[in-house]
Amino acid sequence: MREKLQKIARHPATKKAFMDMKPKKTLWGILGVVLFFIAPEIVAYFYSVDIVRYAQNGLAMHPTTIEQYNYDMLIYLFKDGISWFNLGFGVVLLVWLFF
């Protein structure tokens, strides 16, 4: 099994696919990684309690179905605070971007 996996990893098509997944070294590539992976976790670190409190207050006002769904999503996303996986993944992508 190990030999088979190494053979797949060394195959030129696999290497090409891996390089195609790599973010481009442009301003948009860097901003994309920062805005979609790192910035939300920084916001969650500092403001997760406030965001959850806001959503709970919104739910207390008997919102419409769509508003209720949005408040529930806010609570689901921010109730645990920071996601170390997303933050770590964003940092790994930034490191991969420059190497």
Side-chain angles (χ1 to χ4, degrees):
M1 181 75 164
R2 185 178 209 192
E3 188 176 304
K4 194 78 148 156
L5 288 174
Q6 288 177 351
K7 190 175 182 180
I8 291 170
R10 291 187 194 126
H11 195 275
T14 306
K15 288 181 182 180
K16 183 182 180 322
F18 187 67
M19 291 310 292
D20 287 345
M21 289 187 326
K22 185 176 182 180
K24 305 295 182 222
K25 286 185 184 180
T26 64
L27 178 63
W28 293 113
I30 296 167
L31 283 176
V33 170
V34 170
L35 289 177
F36 288 110
F37 290 101
I38 297 174
E41 300 310 324
I42 293 171
V43 169
Y45 181 75
F46 290 108
Y47 298 108
S48 65
V49 174
D50 296 332
I51 293 170
V52 170
R53 190 176 320 121
Y54 166 78
Q56 289 171 340
N57 289 339
L59 285 173
M61 291 189 237
H62 307 291
T64 64
T65 304
I66 293 174
E67 289 174 336
Q68 181 175 358
Y69 176 76
N70 289 337
Y71 289 137
D72 287 338
M73 283 285 93
L74 282 174
I75 291 171
Y76 176 74
L77 290 173
F78 291 101
K79 71 179 174 187
D80 296 328
I82 191 168
S83 168
W84 293 105
F85 176 78
N86 282 348
L87 187 61
F89 188 67
V91 170
V92 167
L93 281 177
L94 277 180
V95 169
W96 185 32
L97 182 75
F98 292 106
F99 289 103

